[in-house]
Amino acid sequence: MPRYEFRCRACGDTFEVNRPMAEAGRPATCPQGHADTVKLLSTVAFTGRGGAGPVGGTPAPGGGCCGGACGC
């Protein structure tokens, strides 16, 4: 289930709420009970080895910022 980050305008607390994507835009109440909150734009981070390359650790050819076509 996605986790959304909110900040309370009244007390400044930042907190997270787990909820289905269908409810992403629904307002959230801060843990202190204040209703004046705003949803923050969060980055997504994936962890683990999914997409880390072939087993054995040999990197795939190319790479760089755009797949290696420009040689960067």
Side-chain angles (χ1 to χ4, degrees):
M1 188 171 314
R3 180 176 297 177
Y4 299 96
E5 192 172 20
F6 289 84
R7 175 166 293 140
C8 178
R9 291 180 178 155
C11 66
D13 256 358
T14 300
F15 60 98
E16 296 178 343
V17 176
N18 292 329
R19 60 172 59 155
M21 289 177 70
E23 298 178 16
R26 194 181 81 195
T29 302
C30 95
Q32 307 300 322
H34 305 120
D36 189 14
T37 61
V38 62
K39 187 171 120 182
L40 301 177
L41 181 61
S42 301
T43 58
V44 177
F46 294 99
T47 59
R49 290 191 46 93
V55 177
T58 304
C65 64
C66 57
C70 66
C72 56

